Amino acid sequence: MGETVAEVGEFGLIDRIRERLSGSPGVSVGVGDDAAVLAMPGETVLCTDALVEGKHFKLDWCSAADVGHRSAAASMSDIAAMGARPRALVVSLCLPADASVDWVMELVDGMSDEAAETGASLVGGDLARCDTVVVSVAAVGGVAPGRAVTRSGARPGDVVAIAGRQGWAAAGLTVLSRGFRSPRALVQAYQRPNPPYSSGPGAMEAGATSMIDVSDGLLADLRHIAVESKVLVDLESGLIPLADQLSETSSAFNVDPLTWVLGGGDDHSLVATFPSGARLPEMFTQIGRVVDLAGGPAGVSVDGRLWSGQGGGYDHFR
Amino acid sequence: MGETVAEVGEFGLIDRIRERLSGSPGVSVGVGDDAAVLAMPGETVLCTDALVEGKHFKLDWCSAADVGHRSAAASMSDIAAMGARPRALVVSLCLPADASVDWVMELVDGMSDEAAETGASLVGGDLARCDTVVVSVAAVGGVAPGRAVTRSGARPGDVVAIAGRQGWAAAGLTVLSRGFRSPRALVQAYQRPNPPYSSGPGAMEAGATSMIDVSDGLLADLRHIAVESKVLVDLESGLIPLADQLSETSSAFNVDPLTWVLGGGDDHSLVATFPSGARLPEMFTQIGRVVDLAGGPAGVSVDGRLWSGQGGGYDHFR
């Protein structure tokens, strides 16, 4: 497998990463200084997301490039969910000493390629030694002042809509967990999500009242919108897009496809609420309505039945 | 030890952290959304730094509050080293399931208190499960457009100067490693560095030509300036401040105090170069000169003797 990171050392590894990442437009200072410097129009949007080996990814199931794509996608999707455009990423990369340099370079390439899909750049980071691989990506993006879309603005009567694939990654994980490698499209959806980045700013421009990226599960994440907005989010299961791939595979694997669609998180689809009567942006599909609490608790219901909060999402400590 | 993070769950823990971190001035959206939103005047400076349990800190030697202070300091010091003012932090916190909630809250308080020292705020983050505690802090700061101070601007004739304590943390680590708990001032310097944050923007305003924060060792970090600027940095050991505490403890422990001063990194002092004849900002002390390469290799010398690159710094993979 060639050299290890211990052989080339921290600074040797930084030099190689730096060669890989040449100058990016609008970035005054990139990799190789104490911090990166860039011009940020509008307000700055900032987030971070960690991927832990064995927890968020298995080295058997994901190539280094996949881990790079996924880790960049997880953070950039959070930026998009505010209605903002991702601009730059920095990564804290914790690696065992015997990690191969080739593996690291492939990961950096994957991260950098994913960033390029949204016009963002990987501009710096930090390397540390750890027995477990931990890839923690922080992202910044820009949004017009006062226009960021939060979780708390949904109002009774609003339309609930989704952009991007939902349930594909969860299906891919089921396929891999049962020892299969196909259908390839589902496995690849798990290995490399394809978040609908541009739908985030698109939703903002269309007047979205609230938005979130689905990273823990559709119901679990809509619940955040419901609680923050103090409303009930009612989904209509018949409206939720279900690709042929998903229904066919669900029959073959004897799984209710709604488990994937309502509970899956790794696709980083975007769900948003829009004022009733607003024209939905092209990539969004209506899946439900926001309803007044009428004295009941905030939450999510499917076809009018309140969801208990169990089995529809992922909690990292349970 | 009270509840564990597994008992309260990821979202329960986020709620508690959020109660702790109330609104911050200038922050439009703080903890509890997909990402934070803030106004950033000037250019945006961005960096990240990871602290790994057992590698950057031992739980025996550092309280949770210490880890919080140290992790915030490590990133904010990188922002200051660009001549910028830290503005906001986000943290990826990887924790074992049996970590106590009290420990996490103490860490968050430490991080938040350290941020407040520079007028910055902790505005968000991510929680994940990992057998090893990994605290990865990303920071953003602001600097006047085009005024960021990089590592590459040192010119022959420039004065080399240092701000902040240097060698104290390394001495504190020696004290702890040998099983002692005093001198307290040195142990505390290791547990909670006190970086000279305001000296970063101060150096920028005074016309600093290059700057770096000392996190790997004084010689190792000055070497980055030398290599990036293609110069020789010549230190005069007699000019380097040596506090009485350090010389006394070095005698008691039979250590050459220059080992701590030239090799120690955890203080996050700032070293910068200034044009010859420039008035040094108050907190800076001259410790050497920048010299023309005259055909030789870029590097650092002490009292005219070229440093080999060994024993004066820290490489995380060696």
Side-chain angles (χ1 to χ4, degrees):
Chain A
M1 269 305 284
E3 291 166 302
T4 66
V5 296
E7 282 158 7
V8 303
E10 180 180 0
F11 302 116
L13 192 55
I14 291 172
D15 284 344
R16 297 205 194 176
I17 292 173
R18 194 171 167 184
E19 282 163 23
R20 212 81 159 204
L21 302 169
S22 47
S24 312
V27 177
S28 323
V29 179
V31 179
D33 219 298
D34 289 72
V37 182
L38 57 152
M40 287 290 306
E43 280 189 305
T44 296
V45 181
L46 169 67
C47 68
T48 185
D49 225 58
L51 262 62
V52 179
E53 172 195 351
K55 197 76 200 155
H56 299 87
F57 63 90
K58 284 185 199 282
L59 295 175
D60 289 352
W61 291 349
C62 292
S63 70
D66 293 337
V67 176
H69 277 273
R70 293 186 72 182
S71 59
S75 290
M76 293 199 300
S77 172
D78 280 329
I79 298 293
M82 303 303 291
R85 291 185 193 281
R87 188 82 181 71
L89 306 179
V90 287
V91 58
S92 276
L93 200 47
C94 303
L95 299 165
D98 65 355
S100 96
V101 172
D102 290 346
W103 193 89
V104 177
M105 291 300 131
E106 201 187 313
L107 180 143
V108 167
D109 285 345
M111 199 173 294
S112 179
D113 289 348
E114 187 71 26
E117 289 201 15
T118 74
S121 329
L122 177 58
V123 296
D126 183 43
L127 294 166
R129 190 159 157 182
C130 185
D131 293 336
T132 309
V133 178
V134 180
V135 186
S136 181
V137 175
V140 291
V143 69
R147 297 294 302 278
V149 183
T150 67
R151 300 176 177 182
S152 60
R155 296 290 166 261
D158 284 358
V159 164
V160 181
I162 191 165
R165 301 188 301 206
Q166 175 57 30
W168 289 50
L173 180 59
T174 301
V175 170
L176 286 168
S177 307
R178 299 213 187 156
F180 294 88
R181 291 270 166 177
S182 67
R184 287 297 299 153
L186 300 181
V187 169
Q188 283 169 354
Y190 170 76
Q191 290 165 331
R192 291 192 193 188
N194 188 16
Y197 299 115
S198 63
S199 299
M204 181 271 281
E205 280 156 24
T209 52
S210 72
M211 184 155 47
I212 193 167
D213 99 299
V214 178
S215 52
D216 293 311
L218 180 60
L219 298 184
D221 286 310
L222 275 172
R223 190 164 201 283
H224 292 307
I225 284 187
V227 169
E228 297 299 324
S229 301
K230 301 186 182 66
V231 295
L232 187 68
V233 170
D234 185 43
L235 300 187
E236 209 171 307
S237 60
L239 291 178
I240 304 178
L242 187 65
D244 289 346
Q245 288 261 20
L246 283 189
S247 35
E248 287 159 16
T249 309
S250 68
S251 311
F253 282 79
N254 196 24
V255 170
D256 179 350
L258 274 184
T259 315
W260 295 331
V261 170
L262 298 177
D266 284 319
D267 293 303
H268 297 290
S269 59
L270 289 173
V271 278
T273 56
F274 296 89
S276 177
R279 192 191 170 89
L280 292 187
E282 200 184 342
M283 287 180 70
F284 280 89
T285 306
Q286 180 173 355
I287 58 172
R289 279 271 176 195
V290 178
V291 180
D292 195 278
L293 287 185
V300 182
S301 58
V302 181
D303 301 329
R305 290 183 53 192
L306 198 65
W307 173 58
S308 67
Q310 302 299 311
Y314 192 81
D315 183 312
H316 279 286
F317 293 105
R318 282 175 163 165
Chain B
M1 270 308 283
E3 291 166 303
T4 67
V5 297
E7 282 158 5
V8 303
E10 179 180 1
F11 303 116
L13 193 54
I14 290 172
D15 284 343
R16 297 204 194 179
I17 292 172
R18 193 171 168 185
E19 282 164 23
R20 212 81 161 203
L21 302 169
S22 48
S24 312
V27 176
S28 323
V29 179
V31 178
D33 219 300
D34 289 72
V37 181
L38 57 154
M40 288 289 306
E43 281 189 305
T44 296
V45 181
L46 170 66
C47 68
T48 185
D49 224 59
L51 261 63
V52 180
E53 173 196 349
K55 197 76 199 156
H56 299 87
F57 63 90
K58 283 185 199 280
L59 295 175
D60 291 352
W61 292 349
C62 292
S63 71
D66 292 337
V67 176
H69 277 273
R70 290 187 72 182
S71 59
S75 291
M76 293 199 300
S77 172
D78 280 329
I79 298 293
M82 303 304 289
R85 291 186 193 281
R87 188 81 180 70
L89 306 180
V90 286
V91 60
S92 276
L93 200 47
C94 302
L95 299 165
D98 64 356
S100 96
V101 172
D102 290 346
W103 192 90
V104 177
M105 290 302 131
E106 199 187 313
L107 180 142
V108 167
D109 285 345
M111 200 173 291
S112 180
D113 289 348
E114 187 70 26
E117 289 200 16
T118 74
S121 328
L122 177 58
V123 296
D126 182 45
L127 293 167
R129 190 160 156 180
C130 184
D131 293 337
T132 309
V133 178
V134 180
V135 185
S136 181
V137 175
V140 292
V143 67
R147 296 295 301 278
V149 183
T150 67
R151 300 177 176 181
S152 59
R155 295 292 166 260
D158 283 357
V159 165
V160 180
I162 191 166
R165 300 188 301 205
Q166 175 56 29
W168 288 51
L173 181 58
T174 300
V175 169
L176 286 168
S177 307
R178 300 213 186 156
F180 294 87
R181 291 270 166 175
S182 67
R184 287 297 299 153
L186 300 181
V187 168
Q188 283 170 353
Y190 170 76
Q191 290 165 330
R192 292 193 192 184
N194 188 15
Y197 299 115
S198 62
S199 300
M204 180 273 279
E205 280 155 23
T209 52
S210 73
M211 184 154 48
I212 194 168
D213 100 296
V214 178
S215 53
D216 293 311
L218 180 59
L219 298 183
D221 285 310
L222 275 171
R223 189 163 201 284
H224 292 307
I225 283 188
V227 169
E228 296 300 324
S229 300
K230 303 185 180 67
V231 293
L232 188 67
V233 170
D234 186 43
L235 301 187
E236 209 172 308
S237 59
L239 291 178
I240 304 177
L242 188 64
D244 290 346
Q245 289 260 23
L246 283 188
S247 34
E248 287 159 16
T249 309
S250 69
S251 312
F253 283 78
N254 196 24
V255 171
D256 178 352
L258 274 183
T259 315
W260 293 332
V261 171
L262 298 177
D266 283 317
D267 293 303
H268 298 290
S269 58
L270 290 172
V271 278
T273 55
F274 296 89
S276 177
R279 192 189 170 91
L280 292 187
E282 201 185 341
M283 286 182 71
F284 280 90
T285 305
Q286 180 173 353
I287 58 171
R289 279 273 177 194
V290 178
V291 180
D292 195 279
L293 287 185
V300 182
S301 58
V302 181
D303 301 328
R305 291 183 53 191
L306 198 64
W307 173 57
S308 67
Q310 302 299 311
Y314 192 81
D315 183 312
H316 278 287
F317 293 106
R318 281 177 165 163

